[in-house]
Amino acid sequence: MKQKHWLWLMLVAGLVMSMPSAQAADPKELAATVCIACHGPDGNSLAPTFPKIAGQQPGYIEKQLNEFLSGKRKNDVMATFLDKFNKGDVPGLAALYAAQKPAPGTVEDAKLAAAGKKLFDEGNPDSGVPGCMGCHLEKGEGNDRYPRLAGQHQAYTIQQIADFKSGKRSNDKAKVMRSVAERMTEDEMKAVAEYIAGLQ
Ligand code: HEC
Ligand code: HEC
């Protein structure tokens, strides 16, 4: 009898150990139990410092999640949840959020948004800020190389540009966003974020 028990134990242990560590969980369940707390039930966060991720480009979501996991992009809030998912979950999560409908943002200051539109479309030739639409496209929708910005919360957009400028965020390939942000003033960040919030 005793021997039989051992056999069982070894069988079960062997099974557990042979399970791939990066096995994917159901993305819907992960979203509904973990991500929902900050990114909302449909990827449209309510708190302005938590990014909306609904309708974001899937390749960009994958890149960001993998870089949070590897430590290339660091954030104290996201850091507390990094043990809840792994690399294997990333493609499923990216596909799930990319397919969700982005909620429009709210423009609170039309004059500021108009100044932001000029910068977004044309850049600032005096300081060398390039127009954002050159990469993020005309309506800020992005593509498989550049993230969607349209409709994002002002506070989050401002924070990211400021973090690129200070170098706190440094996961952009070839410093592409850092070299844009380092030329921007605080007023330009606020104006362009106001305009971006109103893009759909
Ligand atoms: C406790 C709050 C919290 C939870 C839970 C959370 N996030 Fe986040 N998430 C954040 C914050 C804050 C940021 C912005 C980080 C920064 O400023 O760099 C972020 C950033 C992101 C980004 C990058 C967005 C962008 O536009 O660059 C993605 C993608 C993301 N989270 C997906 C997820 C997924 C998927 C889950 C669930 C597995 C999750 N998050 C759980 C707070 C959270
Ligand atoms: C030469 C191309 C290029 C130009 C021009 C550009 N960006 Fe970007 N931007 C990028 C890339 C690439 C990323 C993604 C970096 C990464 O992989 O994390 C990015 C990321 C961002 C993000 C972070 C998005 C998020 O969800 O976290 C913001 C905000 C942003 N850009 C705003 C702007 C603004 C505003 C302008 C114009 C003043 C601008 N960008 C011009 C290439 C560009």
Side-chain angles (χ1 to χ4, degrees):
M1 275 307 259
K2 261 209 164 141
Q3 232 176 1
K4 230 178 166 183
H5 270 120
W6 267 111
L7 252 156
W8 262 113
L9 223 107
M10 280 167 70
L11 234 160
V12 172
L15 266 174
V16 169
M17 285 192 306
S18 68
M19 280 203 289
S21 59
Q23 204 187 34
D26 178 2
K28 275 199 192 125
E29 199 178 317
L30 263 175
T33 52
V34 181
C35 324
I36 188 173
C38 301
H39 296 289
D42 58 355
N44 289 299
S45 62
L46 295 176
T49 52
F50 296 159
K52 293 181 188 173
I53 54 176
Q56 183 53 274
Q57 299 290 340
Y60 173 78
I61 300 181
E62 278 200 40
K63 179 178 184 286
Q64 301 310 307
L65 290 177
N66 283 325
E67 291 178 348
F68 280 125
L69 287 171
S70 74
K72 205 169 169 197
R73 180 171 174 186
K74 291 186 190 72
N75 175 263
D76 293 344
V77 182
M78 273 295 289
T80 49
F81 288 85
L82 294 179
D83 58 342
K84 301 281 191 286
F85 67 99
N86 60 43
K87 247 180 130 38
D89 300 317
V90 167
L93 286 167
L96 177 78
Y97 284 110
Q100 279 171 339
K101 199 173 180 302
T106 322
V107 172
E108 278 139 20
D109 183 336
K111 221 178 128 197
L112 190 62
K117 176 177 167 51
K118 196 165 162 46
L119 189 76
F120 192 93
D121 292 350
E122 298 163 24
N124 179 347
D126 293 338
S127 58
V129 177
C132 321
M133 96 180 188
C135 292
H136 295 282
L137 304 195
E138 204 182 330
K139 300 255 174 232
E141 67 270 37
N143 57 23
D144 53 3
R145 290 182 63 192
Y146 302 109
R148 175 189 173 85
L149 305 177
Q152 188 58 269
H153 296 298
Q154 285 91 329
Y156 174 77
T157 300
I158 294 169
Q159 186 64 54
Q160 295 308 304
I161 301 173
D163 286 354
F164 279 125
K165 182 171 182 168
S166 72
K168 184 174 177 242
R169 179 169 171 185
S170 58
N171 67 327
D172 52 329
K173 275 191 204 132
K175 297 194 175 178
V176 71
M177 251 326 280
R178 274 173 287 174
S179 57
V180 173
E182 73 186 12
R183 298 184 165 94
M184 290 175 71
T185 64
E186 239 173 83
D187 286 345
E188 286 176 331
M189 294 179 198
K190 285 183 190 152
V192 84
E194 194 67 22
Y195 176 63
I196 284 170
L199 287 172
Q200 286 188 41

